[in-house]
């Protein structure tokens, strides 16, 4: 065979072409990286300053907690090595694990922890409830501090371990000294991952890398407790606002984990090779219809009871969630399926009765309330599917029993603003709005601010009920789960009587991930942990 | 000409000022409280009030406006209420993807549109003309996001030739950069192909009926030089005008395209900011968009003088 320039070039091109796949394979050898599409954008990097869930996710990546709840929602030590309580149950002593370090290499001290707890409690409902009973938080030595109470309190560890926002994250003392109303500007934690600030692109990308100094506990990971073994070098959060695009990216392998795929896309995702659909957060979400207790007609308990009967959980769930596999009706104010998920008193909801019967009773109650056809303003967020459906269903349900409903349409930002207005509806206020919360947070009468019934100081809707507040205090003081459950039964009955708000059922949000590439995802309500997660292909 | 350019540049100042006043008033008078959004769902009224004070949102509107104008006059677009990052930094982070998408879309659209527009005019009344015009109607009628999803389905999910989403900076290689822009540019460019092709055809048809074109043919000039050198150049003024308008329209088009293809551009930055009422970002980007719009129009006016020597300023 003649060898000339052309044949040499051809041979070279052929060799290059043959070699190319090998090069490509070498480059695509599983990097220890996971690309994750969360439900929203990380806008605020201070998980105490805001109660936004995305900030809590960020916090769980880079900060650690003194305690964490396990898969059974029981508090377990995390940064703490030993915890002791004095005989009179007034002094809790905490000793930190040895060898804990901040990301800048300095040791974690008891002083840091006390400063962090104090900043957290200023912003957190459970923390404030705890600190109403705290007299002092002395630092004993570098690894030991105390919380001293004026009366026994059963929820000290629960408050420190909770996963509902804001979590009690530990920060360096000088950072935790930042006024709680001001955002922190340094993001140094002691958690399993470090925040890569140089690659942070708000609205687009957040990057974390493994913290090589992190020493996990010896126990297996469970909930946000146990050993946080870091098996990844990098975790990249891709903020993809369009759900269809995120689903396509998962199917094509451009991402590994999609947190909240819409229910209607699930069949297509489930059929894609290598993609697995799974429900991690079994407590899911709870829908709330908040009634404004300050103004007519819902300042009258009879009108509230009428609304409670008129609004159908089933109608809402069918319209907003659609697939019955993922939703259920519930007569508890504390999340069905949770330890406090009692349904005592739920017979007033007449959930088993035909809708016509419930509506007849609602009309009667409305008449007794003296309802005079005054307009009922329902806040209607049109830019979020569930919110939009909820407002339309609630409006129709209320109209069906004779209420004069006016939908006030805006985007969610508009609803968030207007819902805080305590003026009468005609002066910029409102009568009804819908939102939802995590089932885990809802399960605790203390952790969820929405459970307070302290009038104008309570959450939007401003319910006021002295007995409810007394029961909440009893619940917090109860020594164990059984005792708390007993109080919860009374509380649920009372809440349904005075109609704290109208619950709209529960639903779960499945996640979708590439089971042909990653494993070890942990089922934790309200936080997405990346420790224990392994990239194997 | 230089005096004209200077005059036009100076005229941008009142334009920007008017835009600034409108944007500021619209934002601040429209319902929405960034403090409530920042605070999150479990926040107390005290938390929200504290954040409002911290952000200066409890100050009189005129005072807030004055501070903003003073900062703008010093080249400071402000700081995002949420991320605490300067608006300038955020815009610069997002500028390259948007400029890349805009430029590639214009290149794709202008190249295809002028070619098929000239072809349709040359073959007016034939099947080729009807096909081109039918394509133009389709391009106008189908929304960008539908075209985008269809392109993703075919080229990314079925054929696996191109990525579904994302943006790769040009510094990481020309092909990776271009690869991620092919589908978005096609999706976004379709409407502009339709728009420019129709104008090209109409303008060309007018010019092709002129005496000097007949003369050129009579002299024996070949068809292609007649079409490109004699006809297209004289038909170019309305085409350039439409391209100029197209650039302005692209500003709104990129918003949807950036969302569908997950391109972290300025369009998405401003849409996200509107959803959460991040006033400094919205105000800053609107001022920049207004500036770009004015400059594009200025460029179009200057290009006229090159295309038609009769136009003088």
């Amino acid at each position: 065979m003649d060898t000339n320039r052309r044949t040499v070039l051809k041979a070279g091109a052929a060799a290059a072409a043959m070699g190319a796949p090998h090069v490509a394979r070498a480059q695509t050898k599983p990097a220890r990286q996971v690309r994750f599409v969360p439900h929203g954008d990380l806008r605020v990097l201070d998980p105490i300053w805001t109660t936004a869930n995305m900030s809590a996710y960020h916090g769980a990546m880079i900060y650690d907690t003194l305690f964490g709840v396990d898969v059974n929602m029981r508090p377990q030590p995390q940064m703490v090595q030993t915890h002791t309580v004095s005989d009179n149950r007034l002094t809790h002593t905490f000793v930190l694990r040895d060898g804990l370090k901040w990301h800048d290499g300095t040791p974690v001290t008891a002083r840091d922890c006390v400063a962090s707890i104090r900043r957290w409690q200023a912003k957190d409902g459970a923390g404030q409830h705890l600190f109403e009973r705290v007299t002092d938080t002395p630092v004993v030595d570098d690894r030991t501090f105390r919380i001293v109470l004026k009366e026994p309190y059963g929820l000290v560890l629960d408050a420190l371990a909770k996963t509902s926002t804001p979590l009690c994250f530990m920060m360096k003392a000088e950072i935790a000294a930042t006024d709680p109303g001001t955002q922190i500007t340094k993001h140094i934690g002691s958690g399993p991952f470090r925040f890569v600030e140089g690659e942070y692109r708000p609205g687009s990308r957040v990057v974390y890398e493994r913290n090589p100094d992190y020493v996990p506990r010896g126990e297996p990971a469970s909930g946000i407790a146990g050993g946080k073994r870091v098996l990844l070098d990098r975790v990249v959060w891709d903020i993809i606002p369009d759900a269809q695009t995120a689903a396509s990216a998962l199917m094509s392998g451009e991402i590994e984990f999609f947190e909240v795929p819409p229910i209607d896309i699930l069949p297509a995702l489930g059929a894609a090779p290598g993609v697995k659909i799974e429900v991690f957060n079994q407590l899911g979400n709870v829908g709330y219809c908040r009634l404004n207790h300050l103004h007519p007609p819902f300042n009258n308990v009879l009108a509230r009871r009428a609304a409670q009967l008129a609004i159908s959980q089933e109608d809402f769930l069918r319209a907003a969630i659609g697939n019955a596999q993922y939703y259920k009706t519930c007569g508890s104010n504390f999340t069905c399926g949770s330890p406090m998920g009692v349904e005592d008193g739920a017979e007033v909801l007449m959930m088993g009765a035909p809708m016509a019967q419930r509506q007849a009773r609602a009309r009667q109650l409305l008449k007794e309330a003296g309802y005079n056809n005054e307009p009922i303003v329902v806040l209607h967020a049109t830019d979020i599917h569930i919110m939009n459906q909820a407002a339309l269903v609630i409006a129709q349900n209320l109209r069906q029993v004779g209420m004069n409903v006016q939908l006030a349409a805006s985007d969610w930002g508009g609803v968030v603003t207007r819902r805080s207005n305590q003026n009468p509806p005609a002066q910029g206020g409102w009568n009804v709005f819908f939102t939802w919360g995590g089932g885990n947070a809802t399960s605790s009468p203390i952790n969820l601010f929405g459970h307070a019934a302290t009038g104008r100081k309570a959450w939007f809707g401003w319910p006021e009920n002295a007995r409810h507040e007394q029961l909440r205090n009893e619940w917090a003081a109860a020594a164990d789960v059984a005792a708390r459950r007993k109080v919860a039964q009374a509380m649920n009955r009372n809440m349904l009587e005075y109609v704290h708000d109208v619950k709209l059922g529960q639903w779960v949000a499945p996640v979708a991930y590439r089971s042909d590439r990653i494993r070890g995802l942990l089922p934790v309500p309200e936080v997405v942990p990346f420790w224990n997660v392994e990239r194997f292909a | 000409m230089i005096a004209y350019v200077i005059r036009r540049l100076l005229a941008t100042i009142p334009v920007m000022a008017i835009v600034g006043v409108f944007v500021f008033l619209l934002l601040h008078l429209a319902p929405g409280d960034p403090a409530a959004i920042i605070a999150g769902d479990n926040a107390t009224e005290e938390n929200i009030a504290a954040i409002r004070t911290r952000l200066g949102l409890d100050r009189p509107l005129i005072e807030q406006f004055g501070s903003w104008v003073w900062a703008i006059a010093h080249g400071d677009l402000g700081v995002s209420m949420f991320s605490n990052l300067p608006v300038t930094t955020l815009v610069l982070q997002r500028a390259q993807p948007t400029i890349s998408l805009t430029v590639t879309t214009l290149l794709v659209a202008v190249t295809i549109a002028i070619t098929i527009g000239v072809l349709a005019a040359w073959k007016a009344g034939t099947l080729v003309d009807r096909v081109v015009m039918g394509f133009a109607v389709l391009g106008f009628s189908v929304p960008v996001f539908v075209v985008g999803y269809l392109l993703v389905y075919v080229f990314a999910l079925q054929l696996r030739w191109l990525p579904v989403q994302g943006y790769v900076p040009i510094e990481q290689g020309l092909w990776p950069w271009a690869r991620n822009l092919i589908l978005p540019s096609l999706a976004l460019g379709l409407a502009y192909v339709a728009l420019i092709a129709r104008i090209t055809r109409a303008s060309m048809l007018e010019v092709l009926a002129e005496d000097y074109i007949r003369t050129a043919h009579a002299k024996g000039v070949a068809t292609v030089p007649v079409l490109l050198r004699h006809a297209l150049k004289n038909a170019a003024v309305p085409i350039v005008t439409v391209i100029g308008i197209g650039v302005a329209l692209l500003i709104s088009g990129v918003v949807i395209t950036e969302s569908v293809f997950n391109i972290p551009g300025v369009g998405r930055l401003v849409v996200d900011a509107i959803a959460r009422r991040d006033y400094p970002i919205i105000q800053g980007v609107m001022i920049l968009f207004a500036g770009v719009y004015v400059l594009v129009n200025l460029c179009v006016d200057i290009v006229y003088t090159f295309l038609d020597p009769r136009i003088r300023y």
Side-chain angles (χ1 to χ4, degrees):
Chain A
M1 186 177 76
D2 287 342
T3 303
N4 56 30
R5 195 177 58 171
R6 189 164 293 170
T7 53
V8 168
L9 284 173
K10 278 181 182 172
M18 287 168 70
H22 297 285
V23 172
R25 271 199 294 274
Q27 285 172 341
T28 55
K29 187 182 172 189
R32 298 210 317 166
Q33 171 176 291
V34 166
R35 288 159 301 180
F36 166 59
V37 176
H39 68 269
D41 178 20
L42 177 66
R43 296 159 190 160
V44 175
L45 298 173
D46 185 343
I48 305 298
W49 192 62
T50 176
T51 60
N53 281 82
M54 286 304 301
S55 300
Y57 286 19
H58 163 74
M61 295 293 283
I62 69 169
Y63 301 106
D64 213 344
T65 51
L66 295 171
F67 289 80
V69 288
D70 64 15
V71 75
N72 298 314
M73 293 293 124
R74 280 195 296 257
Q76 303 292 348
Q78 185 53 240
M79 293 170 78
V80 164
Q81 185 174 306
T82 57
H83 162 246
T84 51
V85 189
S86 62
D87 291 342
N88 61 6
R89 294 178 62 207
L90 295 181
T91 303
H92 292 250
T93 304
F94 304 89
V95 180
L96 297 174
R97 281 199 285 147
D98 197 15
L100 297 176
K101 280 184 189 171
W102 298 111
H103 294 163
D104 61 5
T106 56
V108 176
T109 66
R111 190 174 141 264
D112 296 318
C113 296
V114 168
S116 300
I117 292 170
R118 288 203 164 268
R119 185 168 190 263
W120 159 79
Q121 67 84 24
K123 302 285 278 189
D124 180 62
Q128 285 162 14
H129 203 259
L130 163 65
F131 266 68
E132 282 167 17
R133 292 147 183 90
V134 170
T135 57
D136 197 8
T137 52
V139 172
V140 178
D141 59 38
D142 274 356
R143 286 178 52 207
T144 310
F145 69 96
R146 293 194 174 115
I147 293 180
V148 184
L149 304 166
K150 60 185 174 194
E151 62 187 66
Y153 188 69
L155 298 174
V156 174
L157 303 191
D158 297 76
L160 298 176
K162 74 186 180 74
T163 56
S164 53
T165 63
L167 284 78
C168 187
F169 292 121
M170 293 300 108
M171 299 177 177
K172 292 190 77 170
E174 58 262 38
I175 297 173
T178 309
D179 181 276
T182 304
Q183 272 201 69
I184 57 169
T185 52
K186 287 183 183 167
H187 313 289
I188 300 167
S190 64
F193 292 92
R194 292 191 300 210
F195 176 52
V196 184
E197 203 161 353
E199 293 190 51
Y200 174 47
R201 300 283 180 274
S204 169
R205 166 175 279 226
V206 192
V207 179
Y208 301 93
E209 62 186 15
R210 189 171 74 89
N211 171 14
D213 292 334
Y214 189 77
V215 182
R217 296 184 70 90
E219 305 93 334
S222 171
I224 59 162
K228 297 179 177 178
R229 292 181 311 132
V230 182
L231 307 171
L232 299 169
D233 292 325
R234 269 166 72 92
V235 177
V236 178
W237 294 5
D238 276 326
I239 314 300
I240 303 183
D242 186 275
Q244 181 62 52
T245 303
S248 298
L250 184 73
M251 288 192 275
S252 71
E254 290 171 35
I255 60 167
E256 281 79 39
F257 186 8
F258 181 16
E259 188 194 1
V260 193
I263 300 281
D264 56 341
I265 294 180
L266 291 179
L269 277 176
V275 175
K276 189 169 182 184
I277 311 287
E278 215 169 330
V279 176
F280 282 149
N281 181 359
Q282 292 292 345
L283 293 181
N285 300 297
V286 178
Y288 303 49
C289 176
R290 298 288 286 194
L291 307 174
N292 190 335
H293 291 232
L294 298 182
H295 303 291
F298 298 127
N299 59 351
N300 184 327
V301 68
L302 295 175
R304 294 201 298 273
R305 284 179 190 159
Q308 184 169 253
L309 280 172
I311 296 168
S312 161
Q313 291 191 11
E314 184 68 32
D315 285 358
F316 158 71
L317 291 165
R318 252 189 291 125
I321 311 300
N323 187 337
Q325 187 186 344
Y326 299 111
Y327 69 70
K328 64 180 174 191
T329 57
C330 170
S332 176
N333 280 287
F334 307 112
T335 314
C336 289
S338 80
M340 296 301 132
V342 295
E343 296 189 81
D344 297 65
E347 59 278 0
V348 300
L349 298 174
M350 298 171 66
M351 281 164 72
M355 205 56 209
Q357 199 179 327
R358 287 172 55 177
Q359 287 169 343
R361 175 74 185 130
R363 279 190 209 99
Q364 187 191 338
L365 284 166
L366 209 53
K367 198 174 168 189
E368 289 169 22
Y371 175 64
N372 198 24
N373 204 41
E374 52 263 54
I376 290 174
V377 177
V378 176
L379 301 187
H380 179 194
T382 54
D383 57 336
I384 299 173
H385 170 73
I386 291 181
M387 302 280 188
N388 183 48
Q389 301 296 85
L392 294 173
V393 168
I394 290 166
Q396 185 58 23
N397 281 165
L398 295 179
R399 284 183 184 128
Q400 282 170 334
V401 297
M403 294 196 199
N404 173 17
V405 175
Q406 292 180 357
L407 283 166
S410 71
D411 64 354
W412 175 239
V415 171
V416 165
T417 303
R418 191 166 176 181
R419 71 180 182 182
S420 64
N421 191 331
Q422 295 190 348
N423 287 333
Q427 294 168 33
W430 54 276
N431 294 108
V432 180
F433 89 90
F434 167 83
T435 187
W436 75 85
N440 173 54
T442 306
S443 71
S444 164
I446 298 298
N447 286 356
L448 189 82
F449 182 40
H451 281 320
T454 48
R456 286 182 185 268
K457 285 189 172 178
W459 204 60
F460 315 108
W462 309 286
E464 186 165 13
N465 189 276
R467 169 146 173 78
H468 179 69
E469 286 304 299
Q470 182 198 334
L471 287 168
R472 284 176 80 214
N473 287 335
E474 282 178 26
W475 189 87
D480 54 34
V481 172
R484 280 183 213 144
R485 194 175 162 86
K486 201 169 174 188
V487 181
Q489 289 172 328
M491 215 184 302
N492 197 57
R493 194 177 291 280
N494 184 48
M495 286 173 88
L496 292 169
E497 279 297 314
Y498 80 83
V499 192
H500 182 86
D501 52 22
V502 181
K503 295 289 186 293
L504 280 178
Q506 285 175 224
W507 65 94
V508 290
V511 302
Y513 65 97
R514 297 291 307 213
S515 59
D516 58 350
R517 292 185 188 174
I518 59 172
R519 61 184 163 224
L521 292 164
L522 292 166
V524 179
E526 302 184 53
V527 169
V528 179
F530 283 92
W531 54 88
N532 205 53
V533 178
E534 191 179 0
R535 174 87 192 250
F536 63 89
Chain B
M1 172 68 99
I2 291 169
Y4 171 75
V5 171
I6 292 169
R7 268 202 318 274
R8 287 286 299 268
L9 286 175
L10 287 174
T12 59
I13 296 170
V15 171
M16 307 271 265
I18 291 168
V19 169
V21 171
F22 269 96
V23 169
F24 186 89
L25 288 178
L26 278 174
L27 281 177
H28 288 261
L29 297 179
D33 180 2
I37 299 168
I38 287 169
D41 225 28
N42 289 335
T44 61
E45 190 52 39
E46 287 78 19
N47 288 345
I48 296 170
I51 291 173
R52 204 175 286 134
T53 305
R54 190 83 209 160
L55 295 174
L57 295 169
D58 56 347
R59 291 184 301 158
L61 204 59
I62 189 75
E63 199 182 317
Q64 293 182 50
F65 182 68
S67 307
W68 179 61
V69 170
W70 182 254
I72 291 273
H74 289 80
D76 176 11
L77 293 179
V79 174
S80 163
M81 291 175 171
F82 287 76
S83 64
N84 255 356
L85 292 171
V87 174
T88 318
T89 305
L90 291 168
V91 171
L92 287 175
Q93 282 177 355
R94 307 296 193 104
Q96 196 199 79
T98 298
I99 293 169
S100 300
L101 178 60
T102 311
V103 169
T104 50
T105 302
L106 273 178
L107 280 176
V108 167
V110 170
T111 309
I112 297 174
I114 290 182
T115 307
I116 64 174
V118 169
L119 197 65
W122 178 39
K123 298 286 181 187
T126 66
L127 182 65
V128 174
D129 184 21
R130 286 195 199 103
V131 168
V132 169
M133 285 306 100
F135 174 73
V137 170
L138 190 76
F140 269 134
S141 315
V142 186
V144 174
F145 67 89
V146 173
V147 178
Y149 288 143
L150 284 173
L151 290 174
V152 165
Y153 180 74
V154 174
F155 294 102
L157 291 179
Q158 295 302 312
L159 299 173
R160 306 248 166 187
W161 289 352
L162 295 164
V164 170
Q165 51 85 41
Y167 175 78
V168 176
I170 198 163
E171 301 90 304
Q172 290 181 24
L174 196 61
W175 172 236
W177 170 80
R179 199 167 163 259
N180 279 66
L181 285 171
I182 293 172
L183 294 184
S185 300
L186 284 174
L188 181 57
L190 188 63
Y192 301 99
V193 169
L195 176 71
I196 299 167
R198 284 178 74 96
I199 295 295
T200 305
R201 177 184 177 274
S203 188
M204 283 289 287
L205 279 177
E206 206 174 301
V207 173
L208 286 173
E210 295 285 341
D211 289 343
Y212 60 84
I213 298 293
R214 201 175 305 119
T215 306
H217 281 303
K219 280 198 304 183
V221 180
T223 304
V224 173
V226 167
L227 286 174
L228 300 184
R229 211 174 300 152
H230 295 263
L232 183 59
K233 193 178 174 193
N234 285 296
V237 169
I239 299 171
V240 169
T241 306
V242 167
I243 293 172
I245 295 168
V247 172
L249 292 174
L250 269 176
I251 291 174
S252 57
V254 293
V255 172
I256 300 166
T257 315
E258 285 176 1
S259 294
V260 170
F261 291 96
N262 188 34
I263 295 171
V266 180
R268 252 183 63 191
L269 175 71
V270 75
V271 167
D272 293 346
I274 289 168
R276 59 179 190 256
R277 311 291 194 273
D278 199 339
Y279 297 148
I281 293 182
I282 306 168
Q283 291 164 181
V285 174
M286 286 300 138
I287 289 288
L288 288 176
F289 278 173
V292 169
Y293 193 85
V294 169
L295 285 177
V296 166
N297 277 304
L298 176 60
C299 291
V300 168
D301 288 347
I302 292 169
V303 169
Y304 286 163
T305 63
F306 293 106
L307 294 172
D308 188 345
R310 289 170 300 178
I311 298 174
R312 283 286 174 266
Y313 300 112

